[in-house]
Amino acid sequence: MEVTSTGPALAISKLTFGEGVLYAILGMLVVFFALVLIMAIIKILIKVTDKKKAEPALAAEAPVEVPAEPVKRDDPAPGSAGDIKLYTTDPKDAAMIMAIVADALGKPLNELRFKSIREIKE
Amino acid sequence: MANIIDTLGRLGQTSGFFGLFSDWRQIVMIVIACILLYLGLVKKFEPLLLVGIAFGMLLTNLPFGNMYNPELWDLYIANGTNVAALSPELQAFIAEHGFVFADGIVNLTFTELIHAGGLLDIMYIGVKIGLYPSLIFMGVGAMTDFGPLLANPKSLLLGAAAQLGIFVAFLLAIVIGFPANVAASIGIIGGADGPTAIWLTSKLAPDYLAPIAIAAYSYMALIPMIQPPVMKALTTKEMRETKMEQLRPVSKTQKVLFPIIVTIFTCLLLPSVAPLLGCLMLGNLFKESGVTDRLSDTAQNALMNIVTIFLATSVGATARYDRFLNFQTLAIIVLGLLAFEFATCGGLLLGRIMYRVTGGKINPLIGSAGVSAVPMAARVSQKVGQEANPSNFLLMHAMGPNVAGVIGSAVAAGFLLAVFGG
């Protein structure tokens, strides 16, 4: 198929298949290089900011030598607590309602138990 | 009496109904515009964009409206060229509009263009100079949460792999016989990112803007149908059932520093990507800084809506019957579909590799979200993952590759512009 652009002033060049393959490989390499660079930047950013956050905490703890005490960790609660029954309620709406309730109570969603959600139609 | 008949005759000849039958392709385009309106209004296929595009298409194909004149833009692109070297159609257009160029060299300014052009020509200036896509990106940035990406930086690899579709479609377009600049514009459909596709095509191949924009937005709307078969074909049930660990928390400092640092490094690496990525990151900084809430709100609502109206209508206007109805448009539609499929394959294949390397900790389905199309592609990963394992929640994990895909397609567009921009 012969294709030409009607735009008169654009530099129109035809590439051979081999040239096209080279440009495609080069393009993928550039994309990977750019995103790997961003990945490296993010990793450095995380290390630097996490380290800064940890430093004041360590400084505060340093003067007092407290015998080793089991550290209380906020392990995430198991995924869900029981099943929820939905009556004439869309799962998406139910998810939104549960998120709003959790936010209003200031509790993580997985520490709350919802038994049922029912839409009341007037 | 004779005068009245003469007047009525002239009125009839200047009527659009008379002009409508001068070329059957106008009627076909009006029908296509109505079908697209139906898809947008009734079937809800990306209605915010498709309705504007379809209506612009309708307006431009109604005879004697003169709302959009592609010849004017051909002349603008031809600035610096000798008039004698132009096509006979363009020379006739110059004579008809009484343009006089010093020394026979085309020198059409925006002022002359606004005087001679129609309403949609004026709107189209924002597309031509790359303003609308960049402003849309600012709104997208203000709406995007890069938290999942910061929580799992490896997601960026999946976003990069999913750009495979761009370069495979580019190669296929070269094989079919498209010139390099047009092939690059067709390839960018695989980035599954409307503003990026419009931005690159308006610079490399403006004549192909309408079919490329329509293909990009249509396939984005069809992602829930396009992706699942490929996702199921390239993964095993065991892979799809994989549950991923909870993402680590991301601090506010990290979220604020991210757009600044990424802009500096990426724009230094590839300056041609600065308009798109710069606006994306500026919008995100408005959102994350916490001190520019009003600007963030404007970028993601008022500004975004206004620009969407201008962008969609003026892009639709470029679909004039004499430039849209041809074999090339059909080829672009087919290549666009292949671009989406190969993009999905690219993300999934790297996802499979990461699944093996991490000992089954990464669900390969999140790779398909690397095609951009935020957040539709991530939702598809979630849906297919949950079909395999009802207790699977992949949405937030898929948002990482999803937003990485936006950056990846912008970088790919910057590369293509740098190479084929002339």
Side-chain angles (χ1 to χ4, degrees), chain A residues 1 3-4 6-10 12-15 17 20-21 23 27-28 33-35 39 41-42 45-46 49-50, chain B residues 74 77 150 153 156 160 167 171 174-180 204 207-208 248 254 257-258 261 265 269 327 415 419:
Chain A
M1 188 183 86
V3 183
T4 52
T6 48
L10 282 173
I12 298 163
S13 57
K14 292 257 180 177
L15 295 181
F17 180 71
V21 171
Y23 278 119
M28 276 306 279
F33 180 72
L35 296 200
M39 189 171 91
I41 294 165
I42 293 175
L45 177 70
I46 290 167
T49 50
D50 283 354
Chain B
D74 286 347
I77 294 167
L150 287 163
L156 279 152
F167 296 102
L171 260 182
I174 293 286
V175 171
I176 288 178
F178 280 103
L204 289 185
D207 287 338
Y208 295 84
R248 67 169 198 88
Q254 290 164 359
L257 288 175
F258 174 75
I261 296 174
F265 279 91
L269 178 72
F327 177 73
F415 166 77
V419 174

Side-chain angles (χ1 to χ4, degrees), chain A residues 39-58, chain B residues 150-151 153 248-261:
Chain A
M39 189 171 91
I41 294 165
I42 293 175
K43 289 200 166 174
I44 294 167
L45 177 70
I46 290 167
K47 274 196 177 166
V48 171
T49 50
D50 283 354
K51 200 178 169 188
K52 278 201 169 179
K53 211 193 289 177
E55 270 171 8
L58 282 174
Chain B
L150 287 163
R248 67 169 198 88
V250 177
S251 72
K252 185 175 166 58
T253 313
Q254 290 164 359
K255 283 188 175 182
V256 172
L257 288 175
F258 174 75
I260 301 169
I261 296 174

Side-chain angles (χ1 to χ4, degrees), chain B residues 11 144 180 188 197 218 286 313 394:
Chain B
L11 200 63
T144 302
I188 203 68
S218 304
F286 286 155
T313 318
L394 293 176

